[in-house]
Amino acid sequence: MTDIAVCPGSFDPVTLGHLDVIQRAATRFEQVVVACLRNIGKSPLLEPDERIDLLRAATAHLGNVRTEAFDGLLVDFCRAHGATTIVKGLRAASDFENELKMAQMNAALGDVETLFMATNPRYSYLSSSLVKEVARFHGDIGAFVPEVVSRRLRERGDHGS
Ligand code: PNS
């Protein structure tokens, strides 16, 4: 039995909601590996290396968390990292339908359990796609993402204030 959890996602960009789930997973597992999907294929705001870089900076204070890129099947990533648990946040019932199917597919493909963590209500309306939209129209995303992300986007000119 291992005590390694994988927190997967596209993280385009990482939000405070993601960070909250990663932090809470880190208090319950010996190690957490954040699995950042490299090819997200849906008009990305950030290049893969930049998403990974920002995740690493945003989780630098968490000694038992590391971030790695992945492509292909998540179960293969879990196997390669010795993890049998995936941790995902659930914001609302509307998340559940798709998340349940993914959890069941991952369980069918490999020996991997998915644990769902109730999102902190403070972040239940947050998503990377909404943050991306606000950033693209130069709105202020400072309340929704780690400071390092808003700073990086501001430097790039994707962030209004
Ligand atoms: O942040 P997202 O976009 O909701 O993350 C989705 C992600 C990366 C967790 C999901 O797309 C995924 O696991 N992709 C890997 C492909 C895979 O393993 N598919 C089969 C199981 S659903």
Coordinates of all heavy atoms in Angstrom, one line a residue, residues 110-153:
G110 N -7.0 0.5 -14.7 CA -5.9 0.2 -13.8 C -6.4 0.1 -12.4 O -7.5 0.4 -12.1
D111 N -5.5 -0.2 -11.5 CA -5.8 -0.4 -10.1 C -5.7 1.0 -9.4 O -4.8 1.3 -8.6 CB -4.9 -1.4 -9.4 CG -5.1 -1.5 -7.9 OD1 -6.3 -1.2 -7.5 OD2 -4.2 -1.9 -7.2
V112 N -6.7 1.9 -9.8 CA -6.6 3.3 -9.3 C -7.9 3.7 -8.7 O -9.0 3.6 -9.4 CB -6.2 4.2 -10.5 CG1 -6.1 5.7 -10.0 CG2 -4.9 3.8 -11.1
E113 N -7.9 4.2 -7.5 CA -9.2 4.7 -6.9 C -9.2 6.2 -7.0 O -8.1 6.9 -6.9 CB -9.2 4.4 -5.4 CG -9.5 3.0 -5.0 CD -10.9 2.6 -5.3 OE1 -11.7 3.4 -5.6 OE2 -11.2 1.4 -5.1
T114 N -10.3 6.8 -7.3 CA -10.5 8.3 -7.3 C -11.2 8.7 -6.0 O -12.3 8.2 -5.7 CB -11.2 8.7 -8.5 OG1 -10.5 8.3 -9.7 CG2 -11.4 10.2 -8.5
L115 N -10.6 9.6 -5.3 CA -11.2 10.2 -4.1 C -11.6 11.6 -4.5 O -10.8 12.4 -5.0 CB -10.3 10.3 -2.9 CG -9.7 8.9 -2.4 CD1 -8.9 9.1 -1.2 CD2 -10.9 7.9 -2.1
F116 N -12.9 12.0 -4.2 CA -13.4 13.3 -4.5 C -13.4 14.2 -3.2 O -13.8 13.7 -2.2 CB -14.8 13.3 -5.1 CG -14.9 12.6 -6.4 CD1 -15.6 11.5 -6.6 CD2 -14.3 13.2 -7.5 CE1 -15.7 10.9 -7.8 CE2 -14.3 12.6 -8.7 CZ -15.1 11.4 -8.9
M117 N -12.9 15.4 -3.4 CA -12.8 16.3 -2.3 C -13.7 17.5 -2.6 O -13.7 18.0 -3.7 CB -11.3 16.8 -2.2 CG -10.9 17.3 -0.9 SD -9.2 17.8 -1.0 CE -8.4 16.4 -0.1
A118 N -14.6 17.7 -1.6 CA -15.6 18.9 -1.8 C -14.8 20.2 -1.9 O -14.0 20.5 -1.0 CB -16.5 18.9 -0.6
T119 N -15.0 20.9 -2.9 CA -14.3 22.2 -3.1 C -14.7 23.1 -2.0 O -15.8 23.1 -1.6 CB -14.6 22.8 -4.5 OG1 -14.1 21.9 -5.5 CG2 -14.1 24.2 -4.6
N120 N -13.7 23.9 -1.5 CA -14.0 24.9 -0.6 C -15.1 25.9 -1.2 O -14.8 26.3 -2.3 CB -12.7 25.7 -0.3 CG -12.9 26.7 0.8 OD1 -13.9 27.4 0.8 ND2 -11.8 26.9 1.6
P121 N -16.2 26.1 -0.5 CA -17.3 26.9 -1.2 C -16.8 28.3 -1.7 O -17.3 28.8 -2.6 CB -18.3 27.1 -0.1 CG -17.8 26.4 1.1 CD -16.6 25.6 0.8
R122 N -15.7 28.8 -1.0 CA -15.1 30.0 -1.5 C -14.7 30.0 -2.9 O -14.7 31.0 -3.6 CB -13.9 30.3 -0.6 CG -13.5 31.7 -0.5 CD -12.2 31.9 0.2 NE -12.1 31.1 1.5 CZ -11.0 30.9 2.1 NH1 -9.8 31.4 1.7 NH2 -11.0 30.2 3.3
Y123 N -14.4 28.8 -3.4 CA -13.9 28.7 -4.8 C -14.8 27.9 -5.7 O -14.4 27.5 -6.8 CB -12.5 27.9 -4.7 CG -11.5 28.6 -3.8 CD1 -10.9 27.9 -2.8 CD2 -11.2 29.9 -4.0 CE1 -9.9 28.5 -2.0 CE2 -10.3 30.5 -3.2 CZ -9.6 29.8 -2.2 OH -8.7 30.4 -1.4
S124 N -16.1 27.7 -5.3 CA -16.9 26.7 -6.0 C -17.3 27.3 -7.4 O -17.7 26.5 -8.3 CB -18.1 26.3 -5.2 OG -18.9 27.5 -4.9
Y125 N -17.2 28.6 -7.6 CA -17.6 29.1 -9.0 C -16.3 29.3 -9.9 O -16.5 29.7 -11.0 CB -18.2 30.5 -8.8 CG -17.3 31.5 -8.2 CD1 -16.6 32.4 -9.0 CD2 -17.0 31.6 -6.8 CE1 -15.7 33.3 -8.5 CE2 -16.1 32.5 -6.3 CZ -15.5 33.4 -7.1 OH -14.6 34.3 -6.6
L126 N -15.2 28.9 -9.3 CA -13.9 29.1 -10.1 C -13.6 28.0 -11.1 O -13.8 26.8 -10.8 CB -12.7 29.2 -9.1 CG -12.4 30.5 -8.5 CD1 -11.0 30.4 -7.8 CD2 -12.2 31.6 -9.6
S127 N -13.2 28.4 -12.3 CA -12.7 27.4 -13.2 C -11.6 28.0 -14.0 O -11.6 29.3 -14.2 CB -13.8 26.9 -14.2 OG -14.2 27.9 -15.0
S128 N -10.7 27.2 -14.6 CA -9.6 27.8 -15.4 C -10.2 28.5 -16.6 O -9.7 29.5 -17.1 CB -8.7 26.7 -15.9 OG -7.9 26.2 -14.8
S129 N -11.3 27.9 -17.2 CA -11.8 28.5 -18.4 C -12.4 29.9 -18.1 O -12.3 30.8 -19.0 CB -12.8 27.6 -19.1 OG -13.6 26.9 -18.2
L130 N -13.1 30.1 -17.0 CA -13.6 31.4 -16.7 C -12.5 32.4 -16.4 O -12.5 33.5 -16.8 CB -14.5 31.4 -15.4 CG -16.0 31.0 -15.6 CD1 -16.7 31.1 -14.3 CD2 -16.6 31.9 -16.7
V131 N -11.4 31.9 -15.7 CA -10.3 32.8 -15.4 C -9.6 33.2 -16.7 O -9.2 34.4 -16.9 CB -9.3 32.1 -14.5 CG1 -7.9 32.8 -14.4 CG2 -9.9 31.9 -13.1
K132 N -9.5 32.2 -17.6 CA -8.9 32.5 -18.9 C -9.7 33.6 -19.7 O -9.1 34.5 -20.3 CB -9.0 31.2 -19.7 CG -7.8 30.9 -20.5 CD -7.6 29.6 -21.2 CE -8.5 28.4 -20.9 NZ -8.0 27.2 -21.5
E133 N -11.0 33.5 -19.6 CA -11.8 34.4 -20.3 C -11.6 35.8 -19.7 O -11.5 36.8 -20.5 CB -13.3 34.0 -20.2 CG -14.2 34.9 -21.0 CD -15.6 34.3 -21.1 OE1 -15.8 33.1 -21.4 OE2 -16.6 35.1 -21.0
V134 N -11.7 35.9 -18.4 CA -11.4 37.2 -17.7 C -10.1 37.8 -18.1 O -9.9 38.9 -18.5 CB -11.6 37.1 -16.2 CG1 -11.2 38.4 -15.5 CG2 -13.0 36.7 -15.8
A135 N -9.0 36.9 -18.1 CA -7.7 37.3 -18.4 C -7.6 37.8 -19.9 O -6.9 38.8 -20.2 CB -6.7 36.2 -18.2
R136 N -8.3 37.1 -20.8 CA -8.2 37.5 -22.2 C -8.8 38.8 -22.5 O -8.4 39.5 -23.4 CB -8.9 36.4 -23.1 CG -8.0 35.2 -23.3 CD -8.4 34.3 -24.4 NE -7.4 33.4 -24.8 CZ -7.5 32.1 -24.8 NH1 -8.6 31.5 -24.6 NH2 -6.4 31.3 -25.1
F137 N -9.8 39.2 -21.6 CA -10.4 40.5 -21.8 C -9.8 41.5 -20.8 O -10.4 42.6 -20.5 CB -11.9 40.5 -21.6 CG -12.6 39.8 -22.8 CD1 -13.1 38.5 -22.6 CD2 -12.7 40.4 -24.0 CE1 -13.7 37.8 -23.7 CE2 -13.3 39.7 -25.1 CZ -13.8 38.4 -24.9
H138 N -8.6 41.2 -20.3 CA -7.8 42.1 -19.5 C -8.5 42.4 -18.2 O -8.3 43.5 -17.6 CB -7.4 43.3 -20.2 CG -6.6 43.0 -21.5 ND1 -5.3 42.5 -21.5 CD2 -7.0 43.0 -22.8 CE1 -5.0 42.3 -22.8 NE2 -6.0 42.6 -23.6
G139 N -9.3 41.5 -17.7 CA -9.9 41.7 -16.4 C -9.0 41.4 -15.3 O -7.9 40.7 -15.5
D140 N -9.3 41.7 -14.0 CA -8.4 41.5 -12.9 C -8.7 40.0 -12.4 O -9.7 39.8 -11.8 CB -8.7 42.5 -11.8 CG -7.7 42.4 -10.6 OD1 -6.9 41.5 -10.7 OD2 -7.9 43.2 -9.7
I141 N -7.7 39.2 -12.5 CA -7.8 37.8 -12.0 C -7.1 37.6 -10.7 O -7.0 36.4 -10.2 CB -7.3 36.8 -13.1 CG1 -5.8 37.0 -13.4 CG2 -8.1 36.8 -14.3 CD1 -5.1 35.9 -14.1
G142 N -6.7 38.7 -10.0 CA -5.9 38.6 -8.8 C -6.6 37.8 -7.7 O -5.9 37.1 -6.9
A143 N -7.9 37.8 -7.6 CA -8.6 37.1 -6.5 C -8.8 35.6 -6.8 O -9.3 34.9 -6.0 CB -10.0 37.8 -6.3
F144 N -8.5 35.2 -8.0 CA -8.8 33.8 -8.4 C -7.6 32.9 -8.6 O -7.8 31.6 -8.7 CB -9.6 33.9 -9.7 CG -10.7 34.9 -9.8 CD1 -10.7 35.8 -10.9 CD2 -11.6 35.1 -8.8 CE1 -11.7 36.8 -10.9 CE2 -12.5 36.0 -8.8 CZ -12.6 36.9 -9.9
V145 N -6.4 33.4 -8.7 CA -5.3 32.6 -9.0 C -4.1 32.9 -8.0 O -4.1 34.0 -7.4 CB -4.8 32.8 -10.4 CG1 -5.8 32.4 -11.5 CG2 -4.4 34.3 -10.7
P146 N -3.2 32.0 -7.9 CA -2.0 32.3 -7.0 C -1.3 33.6 -7.6 O -1.3 33.8 -8.8 CB -1.1 31.1 -7.2 CG -2.0 30.0 -7.6 CD -3.1 30.6 -8.4
E147 N -0.7 34.3 -6.6 CA -0.1 35.6 -7.0 C 0.9 35.4 -8.1 O 1.0 36.3 -9.0 CB 0.6 36.1 -5.7 CG 0.6 37.6 -5.6 CD 1.7 38.3 -6.4 OE1 2.8 37.7 -6.4 OE2 1.5 39.4 -6.9
V148 N 1.6 34.3 -8.1 CA 2.7 34.1 -9.2 C 2.0 34.1 -10.6 O 2.6 34.5 -11.6 CB 3.5 32.9 -8.9 CG1 2.7 31.6 -8.9 CG2 4.7 32.8 -9.7
V149 N 0.8 33.6 -10.6 CA 0.1 33.5 -11.9 C -0.4 34.8 -12.4 O -0.1 35.2 -13.6 CB -1.1 32.5 -11.8 CG1 -1.9 32.5 -13.1 CG2 -0.7 31.1 -11.5
S150 N -1.0 35.6 -11.5 CA -1.5 36.9 -11.9 C -0.3 37.8 -12.3 O -0.3 38.6 -13.3 CB -2.4 37.6 -10.9 OG -1.8 37.6 -9.7
R151 N 0.9 37.6 -11.6 CA 2.0 38.4 -11.9 C 2.6 38.1 -13.3 O 2.9 38.9 -14.1 CB 3.1 38.2 -10.9 CG 4.2 39.2 -10.9 CD 5.3 39.1 -9.8 NE 4.9 38.3 -8.7 CZ 5.6 37.2 -8.3 NH1 6.7 36.8 -9.0 NH2 5.2 36.5 -7.3
R152 N 2.6 36.8 -13.6 CA 3.1 36.3 -14.9 C 2.2 36.8 -16.0 O 2.7 37.3 -17.1 CB 3.2 34.8 -14.9 CG 3.8 34.2 -16.2 CD 5.3 34.3 -16.2 NE 6.0 33.7 -15.1 CZ 6.4 32.4 -15.1 NH1 6.2 31.6 -16.1 NH2 7.0 31.9 -14.0
L153 N 0.9 36.7 -15.8 CA 0.0 37.1 -16.9 C 0.1 38.7 -17.1 O -0.1 39.2 -18.2 CB -1.4 36.7 -16.6 CG -1.6 35.1 -16.7 CD1 -3.0 34.7 -16.4 CD2 -1.2 34.6 -18.1

